[in-house]
Amino acid sequence: SDDELAKIRNEEIGFVFQSFHLLARNSALNNVMLPLKYAGCKEAEAIERCNLVLEKVGLSDRKDHSPSELSGGQQQRVAIARALAMRPKVMLLDEITSALDPEVVGEVLNVIRSLNKEHNLTMIMVTHQMGFAREISDRVCFFNEGKIFEEGPPEKLFGDPQNERTKQFLHAVLDSH
């Protein structure tokens, strides 16, 4: 039913978008805590959980700062912490580095690396960071026009792509760097 589907979306899936979607008047801690409040989590538990995830993303010292007092990379890490606070089974990450300055992309990717190593968490990431995708993934899908053109382990997809469109794309993005 629609109610069951909404419950699964809210309780089992974490979303992190290109845009951070932080509330300007809230502190980092309160931005992370907002979904927990809507889910009916008790305040003491919510604060404890939020402090833990802010520490995980390296922002425990910035928890009382508003979004305007944070860099773009820090804002994106608050958005990641917000999704993690819900303890999802699956994280959906949509071009989470595309709105960031090149020098802060690394700090966000490092957070994803550590989450990948430390947690039994499925992450589905849309990215144009091919080196990162190759390094962190156990499965890569190449999409074109909304369809999967090719998929497989990263060493296969990057090392020996079978689809001509995949070959063209990889040649263009990997040879340009």
Side-chain angles (χ1 to χ4, degrees):
S1 72
D2 287 344
D3 288 342
E4 290 169 324
L5 188 56
K7 186 175 178 1
I8 289 170
R9 282 185 187 134
N10 292 331
E11 294 178 7
E12 297 185 18
I13 301 173
F15 294 94
V16 183
F17 301 97
Q18 293 177 38
S19 302
F20 318 125
H21 298 294
L22 302 178
L23 298 175
R25 295 183 187 176
N26 283 9
S27 66
L29 179 69
N30 285 331
N31 267 290
V32 173
M33 205 165 24
L34 198 59
L36 293 172
K37 286 180 181 177
Y38 284 117
C41 187
K42 291 188 166 107
E43 188 166 354
E45 180 189 343
I47 291 170
E48 182 180 340
R49 202 187 292 187
C50 292
N51 281 324
L52 284 171
V53 294
L54 283 167
E55 184 178 335
K56 246 178 236 237
V57 299
L59 290 176
S60 51
D61 63 329
R62 308 291 285 176
K63 68 181 177 186
D64 296 323
H65 290 74
S66 69
S68 66
E69 298 172 307
L70 301 172
S71 71
Q74 290 170 331
Q75 290 180 44
Q76 189 61 290
R77 288 187 284 154
V78 170
I80 292 167
R82 182 181 51 207
L84 282 174
M86 296 299 291
R87 296 182 176 151
K89 293 179 181 169
V90 176
M91 288 275 287
L92 304 178
L93 307 154
D94 181 22
E95 286 288 355
I96 61 169
T97 59
S98 69
L100 301 176
D101 291 332
E103 65 262 10
V104 296
V105 167
E107 71 186 46
V108 172
L109 295 180
N110 284 336
V111 167
I112 300 304
R113 271 186 197 94
S114 75
L115 291 175
N116 185 281
K117 288 179 184 171
E118 297 170 15
H119 301 282
N120 185 19
L121 180 65
T122 298
M123 290 188 276
I124 300 171
M125 181 174 359
V126 175
T127 187
H128 287 92
Q129 300 279 338
M130 294 298 102
F132 184 70
R134 185 179 203 164
E135 168 198 337
I136 199 169
S137 302
D138 55 16
R139 181 172 170 222
V140 177
C141 298
F142 173 73
F143 281 77
N144 190 46
E145 298 176 356
K147 294 184 173 87
I148 296 177
F149 266 46
E150 190 165 351
E151 64 88 16
E155 57 277 358
K156 175 87 171 117
L157 191 122
F158 287 98
D160 187 25
Q162 301 301 300
N163 182 287
E164 193 56 40
R165 180 66 186 103
T166 309
K167 290 177 188 177
Q168 290 171 352
F169 175 80
L170 291 174
H171 177 73
V173 298
L174 296 176
D175 291 346
S176 69
H177 293 93

